[in-house]
Amino acid sequence: MPLKNVLKYDEEITDTISDHYAQIIGEVGEDVTRDGLLKTPVRAAKAMQFLTQGYEMSAENILRSAMFAEDYSEMVIVKDIEFYSLCEHHMLPFFGKAHVAYIPDGYIVGLSKIPRVIEVFARRLQVQERLTDQILQSIHATLQPLGVAVVIEARHMCMMMRGVQKQSSVTTTSAFTGAFKSERTRNEFLKLITSSLH
């Protein structure tokens, strides 16, 4: 679920980033003036701005825009949320699915806001461990629920395309607060995100 369908690009920033991409293309041995590469630096500059637009977003504001007082205190799960991010170590993509749950304590949030929170933090230079924790902490701090759980499963292009070059490996990270520290509640969450109910 994209944060924005149309991103307005600052011309000065685009020009600066584009110049750097043109230099990099030349340094690796390519001819930036050939037909196929003429517009590549500008395209890459705009792509980088799109992929890092999360720095301009506030997860807390997104959550607060759709908080509703509700007397409901059972687990709410949004699972299989696709995301795409950039590894801060090699600037290569990592991507996968996030599963998020919370137990309300007076407030619920519009379901579409959970994927938007993930996008806010995924659209930054990231590591999977920090991404997991940032999602958890923003929901916990804003909604102040009885507990929050986040599990992320991702494939990392820095492992698949370079380095160990292991194409089938999946990295899983998790974080829990409040009621999800209880083994019983945590196991219920893990069972529900791995089961098919539809």
Side-chain angles (χ1 to χ4, degrees):
M1 181 178 298
L3 294 178
K4 292 181 176 179
N5 291 324
V6 178
L7 181 65
K8 292 183 178 179
Y9 299 99
D10 181 289
E11 286 188 25
E12 186 175 342
I13 293 174
T14 301
D15 288 344
T16 300
I17 298 173
S18 177
D19 289 343
H20 289 303
Y21 272 117
Q23 182 179 353
I24 292 168
I25 292 168
E27 291 292 340
V28 299
E30 258 293 0
D31 177 10
V32 76
T33 64
R34 71 175 175 84
D35 284 349
L37 291 174
L38 276 175
K39 296 182 180 179
T40 296
V42 172
R43 291 190 190 106
K46 289 181 177 180
M48 181 56 69
Q49 290 174 81
F50 177 82
L51 295 172
T52 57
Q53 65 180 295
Y55 291 114
E56 306 299 322
M57 306 291 176
S58 166
E60 290 75 16
N61 287 347
I62 287 171
L63 289 168
R64 287 193 193 101
S65 72
M67 282 178 61
F68 308 101
E70 191 69 43
D71 185 21
Y72 183 82
S73 58
E74 299 298 327
M75 195 181 304
V76 178
I77 301 175
V78 184
K79 68 177 189 174
D80 296 331
I81 305 165
E82 291 183 5
F83 76 91
Y84 300 87
S85 192
L86 284 177
C87 165
E88 68 180 33
H89 298 146
H90 301 98
M91 306 262 302
L92 289 172
F94 69 96
F95 56 92
K97 292 183 177 180
H99 316 285
V100 177
Y102 73 99
I103 300 174
D105 187 20
Y107 289 94
I108 60 171
V109 69
L111 295 178
S112 69
K113 303 308 177 186
I114 301 295
R116 289 185 182 277
V117 166
I118 293 167
E119 285 289 302
V120 167
F121 295 115
R123 296 299 189 190
R124 301 178 182 188
L125 300 181
Q126 274 291 10
V127 294
Q128 184 174 333
E129 296 87 343
R130 185 192 309 127
L131 175 62
T132 306
D133 191 58
Q134 286 176 329
I135 294 165
L136 177 108
Q137 294 301 333
S138 66
I139 295 170
H140 178 78
T142 308
L143 295 183
Q144 298 186 358
L146 298 175
V148 182
V150 179
V151 170
I152 293 180
E153 304 167 282
R155 297 180 184 273
H156 292 249
M157 297 303 285
C158 58
M159 288 180 63
M160 298 167 71
M161 293 179 67
R162 57 163 302 284
V164 294
Q165 298 181 53
K166 299 301 180 186
Q167 282 74 37
S168 298
S169 63
V170 176
T171 300
T172 302
T173 50
S174 63
F176 306 96
T177 65
F180 289 98
K181 294 285 189 179
S182 157
E183 184 176 357
R184 179 180 176 184
T185 306
R186 186 168 62 250
N187 286 344
E188 179 185 351
F189 164 69
L190 294 173
K191 181 179 180 181
L192 286 169
I193 66 172
T194 55
S195 66
S196 178
L197 301 177
H198 48 273

